């Protein structure tokens, strides 16, 4: 059994994740539950974590994942009266302007420059890249430094950092990291036609690459882009 405050906290976290994709800050949780200090939030989170309801995500300054809800709690429950001081009234709100994303920074692996002849696995290093959490969303991510101009018409330039969500599946038209014949990692549009896989550049100067499906393995798809100006 969970306490009332534990119920309210897990509802608040889940509602915020559904609303913005980013878990609330400790200050926001303290205010929502009308607690006097952040230490109370720490105790509630620890209790929920020990009981398997939430977990803290690694490599993040502040991030929580709801693993399961109590059987008698749903995030769609109606809010209480507007004049209530209970945290439950702050948990589920009617639709309104979305708040600005939290300024969390996530350290994700930086696997170097994506270049022909180098599989992603061979590029793995201990280097990391700090990335605003709002650019990512759910899932496991890594970053690659873009080499070349084959995707410039998609706004992806040489020296950009491509933020990649790890996955081995993708839909037609998505930009993916594809490993070709176990040797060459490339960033291209993925398309399937006539039983073949076509990797399309976003530059009219380059030709599409067509392969047998067995020759191409998706290693992730583009989730975001970072660019530094010098």
């Amino acid at each position: 059994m969970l306490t009332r405050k534990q119920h309210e906290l897990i509802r608040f976290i889940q509602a915020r994740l559904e609303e913005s994709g980013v878990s609330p800050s400790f200050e926001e949780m303290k205010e929502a539950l009308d607690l006097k200090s952040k230490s109370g939030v720490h105790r509630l989170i620890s209790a929920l974590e020990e009981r398997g309801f939430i977990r803290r995500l690694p490599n993040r300054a502040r991030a929580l994942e709801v693993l399961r809800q109590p059987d008698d709690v749903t995030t769609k429950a109606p809010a209480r009266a507007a004049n209530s001081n209970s945290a439950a009234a702050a948990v589920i709100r009617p639709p309104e302007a979305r708040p600005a994303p939290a300024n969390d920074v996530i350290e994700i692996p930086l696997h170097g420059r994506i270049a022909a002849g180098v599989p992603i696995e061979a590029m793995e290093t201990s280097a990391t890249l700090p990335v605003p959490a709002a650019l990512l969303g759910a899932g496991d991510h890594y970053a690659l430094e873009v080499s070349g101009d084959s995707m410039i018409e998609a706004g992806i330039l040489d020296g950009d950092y491509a933020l990649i969500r790890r996955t081995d599946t993708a839909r037609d038209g998505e930009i993916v990291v594809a490993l070709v014949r176990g040797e060459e990692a490339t960033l291209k549009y993925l398309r399937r036609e006539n039983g073949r896989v076509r990797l399309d550049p976003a530059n009219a100067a380059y030709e599409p690459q067509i392969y047998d499906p067995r020759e191409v393995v998706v290693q992730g798809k583009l989730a975001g882009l970072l660019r530094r100006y010098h």
Side-chain angles (χ1 to χ4, degrees):
M1 295 292 292
L2 298 182
T3 66
R4 180 174 60 85
K5 288 294 187 185
Q6 290 168 352
H7 274 256
E8 291 174 353
L9 180 58
I10 198 169
R11 291 175 65 193
F12 180 60
I13 294 171
Q14 181 64 28
R16 182 59 63 85
L17 287 171
E18 291 177 355
E19 182 181 7
S20 67
V22 180
S23 57
S25 68
F26 278 76
E27 182 65 28
E28 290 168 334
M29 289 186 274
K30 178 176 76 73
E31 293 179 359
L33 272 69
D34 196 25
L35 298 174
K36 294 182 179 179
S37 69
K38 294 180 185 178
S39 61
V41 176
H42 280 282
R43 287 194 295 271
L44 290 171
I45 287 176
S46 295
L48 289 170
E49 190 174 26
E50 289 172 2
R51 298 180 187 187
F53 286 95
I54 64 174
R55 74 181 179 101
R56 304 177 209 233
L57 298 178
N59 303 320
R60 299 196 182 193
R62 183 194 79 212
L64 300 170
E65 179 183 16
V66 176
L67 300 176
R68 64 190 180 96
Q69 290 278 350
D71 292 339
D72 57 342
V73 174
T74 66
T75 58
K76 302 301 182 185
R80 295 184 185 179
N83 61 357
S84 171
N85 292 323
S86 168
V91 171
I92 307 298
R93 306 181 183 88
E96 56 185 35
R98 178 175 292 188
N103 294 321
D104 280 357
V105 173
I106 304 170
E107 296 281 344
I108 64 174
L110 175 59
H111 291 337
R113 292 175 71 85
I114 184 167
V118 183
I120 297 303
E121 288 83 354
M123 299 168 66
E124 292 186 356
T125 68
S126 59
T128 60
L129 181 71
V131 177
L135 290 181
L136 299 177
D140 185 24
H141 294 78
Y142 60 90
L144 294 168
E145 187 178 358
V146 176
S147 176
D149 60 357
S150 66
M151 296 297 288
I152 58 173
E153 291 169 16
I156 304 172
L157 309 183
D158 183 72
D160 286 351
Y161 291 96
L163 310 178
I164 308 297
R165 183 169 71 84
R166 292 186 190 273
T167 180
D168 58 4
T169 62
R171 296 191 297 269
D172 279 13
E174 292 184 315
I175 298 176
V176 304
V177 174
L179 179 64
V180 179
R181 296 170 180 159
E183 298 177 348
E184 175 186 349
T186 185
L187 187 69
K188 296 288 186 293
Y189 283 107
L190 175 73
R191 302 190 191 281
R192 301 174 180 89
E193 59 179 16
N194 301 322
R196 308 282 282 176
V197 170
R198 195 178 81 224
L199 300 178
D200 286 345
N203 185 334
Y206 293 86
E207 295 292 329
Q209 304 165 11
I210 300 175
Y211 300 98
D212 185 282
R214 293 169 295 183
E215 296 179 299
V216 178
V217 176
V218 173
Q219 295 197 312
K221 59 185 179 180
L222 187 68
L225 203 66
L226 282 180
R227 179 172 299 153
R228 290 177 178 172
Y229 293 91
H230 301 287

